[in-house]
Amino acid sequence: MERSVPTSADVARLAGVSRATVSYVLNNTSSVRISEPTRRRVREAARELGYVPHAAARSLRAGHTRMVLMPAPEVVASPLYSGLFNELHWALSRLDYTVVQFGSAGQSGDQAARAWAELRPAAVLTYSTFSARLGARGVDVLKRSGVRAVITLGQERTEGAHAVLMDQRAVGRCAGDHLLARGRRRIGVVVPEEPGLEAYSLPRLEGVRRAAQGTGAEITEVPLAYDEGSAARLAGRWRRLALDGVFAYNDEYAMLLMRALQDEGIGVPDETAVMGADDLMLGRLLRPRLSTVRIELPSGRELAEIVDRAVRDPGAPPEVHKVLGVTPVPREST
Amino acid sequence: MERSVPTSADVARLAGVSRATVSYVLNNTSSVRISEPTRRRVREAARELGYVPHAAARSLRAGHTRMVLMPAPEVVASPLYSGLFNELHWALSRLDYTVVQFGSAGQSGDQAARAWAELRPAAVLTYSTFSARLGARGVDVLKRSGVRAVITLGQERTEGAHAVLMDQRAVGRCAGDHLLARGRRRIGVVVPEEPGLEAYSLPRLEGVRRAAQGTGAEITEVPLAYDEGSAARLAGRWRRLALDGVFAYNDEYAMLLMRALQDEGIGVPDETAVMGADDLMLGRLLRPRLSTVRIELPSGRELAEIVDRAVRDPGAPPEVHKVLGVTPVPREST
């Protein structure tokens, strides 16, 4: 049996006031003068009946919401990005925004933009492959529907949107420079076979290629799935690849590959230098200790402030923030 | 400069129809007969102006939403739980729900429940410490506001809510049984010092204690922060603790502790057996290979189906689903 849901009319009846008065009191409308005893009577009636006002109705009246819409994640984020997004959620909550995560699997950028626009968010914050899919047309659909700010996180700018650029090429470039400085000339670059990581892995590969330009070093793309079997097979044909260095995408793939190389009797770093990225603690626990690229992301608070500023000033021209910092962390594996 | 946002009145004017007709066409109302040419004219006018209907208005008309409200995460979830929540988001999207994550830091269960109720979600899905904080009163506030289903994930049931029980004590019990079967009698249990993990760590400790009941084995709580310094200090006084086995909370803490013990010259497993939990791949890459507790969580799809069933039948009595499966995975570290 369903209990009937109390309405503002029920509250009005119990408190002996009009529905308008109920609405004014519960929405804290300060422009209407209502005596404190009446306010108290309305609040007590609402509590007794278990009535709470409806945010959708309020949002219609206000003409906009405090909603920040983000696409639902398509892949499990690395610890680095999970941490950032958690922080961002918190920071947005503290600024009184509500974060809505919205799935849009298999939709085109246009379809997704129209579905997002229907929710009338104050801001849309996209990242990774979503940013690319949205495109200038998607941004336009969102803005015309009244979205105050569109912010894209990722590799490239999208016309009309604020850009928080995280250029993954810089990660590859940093790893490439380090391996080259260590005298490596036949360098492999791990490209994970798991779907959804291309937005990170391909720019990283490109970054290594750029580092090698004009050095005479040879760059080889090395596909690897995140399982022991795939790593063992790769290690089994490693000597034929004749690589003297490898940038293994991140620390987790580096750990997997380094273990397989060691099990195959390949010396790290003597025969092959191995470099990861992310600077996870586990890399320091390995023997040899893993060299890595430390990636500095903005804090969730900084991102939230970029969103908030954009919402406050919807007419401002698109800003570009370059936020990815990289530092090589040489340890024993290179 | 802000562009003015097109309204349904603008669409009606351009298409030469009434606002009601615009609403019928764009909301696909099938109960009203409107000719195909008129429908086309309305859609073209909407496209030209960049008008999209407002989901909040639709939700008011429909009297309920397809929104599933979840609290924003307070701590970075382990890979296991991150994966589950990603899957759950996806599965809910496929069932046509929109997932809203809502921060409620520092709010009491009552305050949070009232804030959530205002959004008029179809379902509220809480987990971990939120479930405990909500309480029977919070569930009541939500249901009286029209929320069709409240589902709690976690250690304990909450009166009035559907319960998806994930009893972490079972994880500790499994680890304890395994260490006892290996003949260990002075068993340490790592309790992470990082805030927010108590909801997992304390029931796991309790589970080990239960396993030891009546065996004469002694259980010692071992605080450990997730950093090398903390692990090295703990390893430095390990021999005074005189522990012959340790359940290290999860694989990541186990890896940290095992490395510190090895660096201190303490033999694993001879002097101290080390057991993790989660069965992450990294445990298989360690030497000795890490023994662990494999934890089977429900799939995101199963959870989404529990939510959907509860929404469809809001009058049904609260269901209890016990979903945590545990299996010991003995390797070389115990």
Side-chain angles (χ1 to χ4, degrees), chain B residues 113-273:
Chain B
R114 291 185 63 81
W116 298 344
E118 283 202 7
L119 294 167
R120 294 289 188 275
V124 171
L125 179 66
T126 71
Y127 52 92
S128 177
T129 48
F130 287 101
S131 301
R133 222 155 76 195
L134 188 61
R137 269 217 350 233
V139 173
D140 196 51
V141 165
L142 290 170
K143 288 188 150 183
R144 287 173 74 173
S145 78
V147 173
R148 296 169 71 83
V150 181
I151 301 105
T152 62
L153 268 66
Q155 189 66 29
E156 310 277 358
R157 291 189 58 176
T158 301
E159 199 189 315
H162 300 285
V164 177
L165 289 183
M166 298 182 173
D167 188 353
Q168 299 292 330
R169 284 175 304 206
V171 179
R173 172 116 212 184
C174 177
D177 283 342
H178 173 76
L179 288 167
L180 290 163
R182 288 286 203 253
R184 308 299 160 142
R185 286 296 172 268
R186 294 186 48 82
I187 297 173
V189 178
V190 167
V191 175
E193 289 178 353
E194 283 68 26
L197 297 178
E198 306 82 5
Y200 303 91
S201 62
L202 296 182
R204 289 183 184 191
L205 171 61
E206 169 66 17
V208 179
R209 286 197 202 284
R210 288 198 186 178
Q213 251 164 30
T215 65
E218 206 175 300
I219 306 302
T220 305
E221 187 177 335
V222 180
L224 174 62
Y226 193 59
D227 64 71
E228 287 179 285
S230 174
R233 283 189 298 277
L234 176 57
R237 56 196 180 83
W238 195 258
R239 287 204 165 100
R240 267 173 289 150
L241 291 171
L243 301 172
D244 58 13
V246 61
F247 171 48
Y249 177 65
N250 73 11
D251 288 349
E252 289 165 307
Y253 285 85
M255 177 176 182
L256 173 65
L257 178 58
M258 194 160 86
R259 165 56 58 197
L261 293 177
Q262 288 175 319
D263 286 350
E264 191 68 27
I266 291 159
V268 176
D270 300 343
E271 275 185 83
T272 301

Side-chain angles (χ1 to χ4, degrees), chain A residues 21-61:
Chain A
T21 303
V22 171
S23 166
Y24 292 142
V25 171
L26 296 182
N27 292 303
N28 288 315
T29 309
S30 56
S31 59
V32 181
R33 289 181 76 119
I34 297 169
S35 73
E36 194 43 48
T38 303
R39 288 186 184 272
R40 199 156 46 226
R41 217 158 64 233
V42 169
R43 282 198 211 97
E44 273 163 17
R47 191 154 42 231
E48 188 172 324
L49 294 169
Y51 173 79
V52 282
H54 190 163
R58 278 215 301 237
S59 124
L60 273 181
R61 275 194 297 273

Side-chain angles (χ1 to χ4, degrees), chain A residues 6 48-49 52 55 58 73 86 89-90 98-99 101-102 105 118 120 144 228 259 263 284-285 287, chain B residues 6 48-49 52 55 58 73 75 86 89-90 98-99 101-102 105 118 120 144 228 259 263 284-285 287:
Chain A
E48 188 172 324
L49 294 169
V52 282
R58 278 215 301 237
N86 270 9
H89 277 209
W90 272 109
T98 298
V99 176
Q101 292 210 306
F102 201 59
E118 284 202 7
R120 293 288 188 276
R144 288 173 74 172
E228 286 179 287
R259 165 55 59 198
D263 286 351
R284 292 198 295 269
L285 303 178
R287 298 296 179 266
Chain B
E48 188 172 325
L49 293 170
V52 284
R58 278 217 300 240
V75 293
N86 269 10
H89 277 209
W90 271 109
T98 298
V99 176
Q101 293 210 306
F102 201 59
E118 283 202 7
R120 294 289 188 275
R144 287 173 74 173
E228 287 179 285
R259 165 56 58 197
D263 286 350
R284 292 198 296 270
L285 304 177
R287 299 294 179 269

